[in-house]
Amino acid sequence: MIGFFEASNEPVLVQELLREAASWLRAKGAKQVVGPMDGDTWHRYRVNAGPFEEPPFLLEPVNPPYYAELWSPFEVIERYSSKRVQDVAPLAEQLAPMHARAMQRGYTIRSFDAARLQDELALVWKLSLEIFKDNRFYSDIPLEEFLKLYAGIERLLVPELVLFASDAAGEEVGFLFAYPDAAAGVIDYKTIGVVPAHRRGYLGWALLHRAYTSALAMGRPVANHCLMHESNASQSMDAGHGATFREYYLYTL
């Protein structure tokens, strides 16, 4: 990996530096070189390629607009995007039957318990290890490191927007993490995840329906669907109502 990348707008010099870094890594035995990635996908990675007409949303990876040009000679190996839905009310209605089916199958959904902050964050970590283990370039991190990454997150948390799903036996099998972005007046939907064994039970849709319903009750109909991989099922969760407003790339050298 090439990470912790910071550079001025000097394409010739920077691209020479990146090529030299990739050559050094290959000489050390690397079979593939990717970047920018600060150690793993839990930390900062990808180039924010814009467009940049509007300010970044809360917790969005940011960089100068010229970064995409600096990396442009190299192959894009992964693509991501963020979409905006101007009104989730039609989506909430559309997802209501899927929510009902998930409930009929014995699933339950509860809100984040802020009084048990550390335990609830540990549950997010545990579920994430299972949900994302098959993602490309994924690697586990210890709980202690995860908790450091999310230190202070309680300032953003609205319990009705951080949801856990359990199966009929009471085992937690999925979660949704969203948060209000006061500056933009929207809700940022950051993560929706269901463990592999429960991905055919309408549970992701049910979580999203519940979060949309809460957002509408708060008077927040506008949604950002954030940082979605181009092949992820979350790309379809806007049901055609969303418009892409930002793209992000990960490169191989």
Side-chain angles (χ1 to χ4, degrees):
M1 291 169 286
I2 296 176
F4 302 95
F5 176 80
E6 304 289 346
S8 57
N9 191 12
E10 300 183 72
V12 173
L13 293 176
V14 173
Q15 289 159 12
E16 181 181 354
L17 176 67
L18 291 171
R19 290 188 183 97
E20 183 67 21
S23 295
W24 184 89
L25 287 166
R26 288 196 181 90
K28 297 293 183 181
K31 302 299 183 185
Q32 184 176 39
V33 179
V34 299
M37 183 182 294
D38 292 359
D40 54 47
T41 56
W42 296 92
H43 295 82
R44 187 180 68 159
Y45 73 107
R46 300 169 288 202
V47 168
N48 185 331
F52 297 96
E53 284 75 16
E54 54 184 278
F57 57 81
L58 190 62
L59 303 184
E60 182 181 17
V62 295
N63 53 249
Y66 60 80
Y67 269 28
E69 173 63 24
L70 298 181
W71 288 82
S72 63
F74 311 108
E75 179 187 353
V76 175
I77 193 171
E78 301 285 358
R79 290 176 169 84
Y80 310 80
S81 64
S82 295
K83 292 182 178 181
R84 177 160 302 141
V85 178
Q86 292 297 336
D87 185 2
V88 299
L91 277 174
E93 183 177 352
Q94 192 171 338
L95 294 177
M98 298 179 187
H99 176 271
R101 288 173 194 164
M103 299 301 102
Q104 289 166 3
R105 293 185 176 198
Y107 292 111
T108 57
I109 295 175
R110 69 170 179 86
S111 298
F112 189 96
D113 185 351
R116 300 174 55 250
L117 178 66
Q118 295 300 304
D119 291 340
E120 296 285 68
L121 289 176
L123 177 55
V124 171
W125 168 79
K126 178 184 175 183
L127 288 170
S128 296
L129 297 187
E130 178 68 15
I131 290 166
F132 303 119
K133 64 181 181 181
D134 294 327
N135 286 9
R136 198 175 189 183
F137 306 122
Y138 171 84
S139 59
D140 290 349
I141 60 171
L143 174 58
E144 294 74 16
E145 186 175 352
F146 176 85
L147 293 176
K148 287 179 183 177
L149 278 175
Y150 287 92
I153 195 69
E154 62 272 15
R155 295 190 294 269
L156 295 179
L157 294 180
V158 174
E160 293 79 11
L161 296 175
V162 183
L163 305 173
F164 294 106
S166 298
D167 64 11
E171 181 180 355
E172 286 93 351
V173 295
F175 75 97
L176 178 146
F177 174 54
Y179 50 89
D181 192 334
V186 307
I187 301 294
D188 294 330
Y189 295 80
K190 178 69 166 54
T191 306
I192 305 171
V194 177
V195 301
H198 291 268
R199 286 178 182 166
R200 296 183 181 274
Y202 303 99
L203 197 49
W205 301 106
L207 284 162
L208 197 54
H209 168 78
R210 189 74 63 89
Y212 282 161
T213 302
S214 295
L216 290 168
M218 297 172 192
R220 294 289 187 94
V222 184
N224 287 338
H225 288 198
C226 304
L227 305 168
M228 301 176 292
H229 189 275
E230 63 179 350
S231 66
N232 196 285
S234 58
Q235 285 281 1
S236 65
M237 284 189 163
D238 67 326
H241 291 261
T244 298
F245 67 92
R246 206 99 74 206
E247 295 186 344
Y248 319 84
Y249 303 143
L250 185 69
Y251 297 84
T252 185
L253 291 77

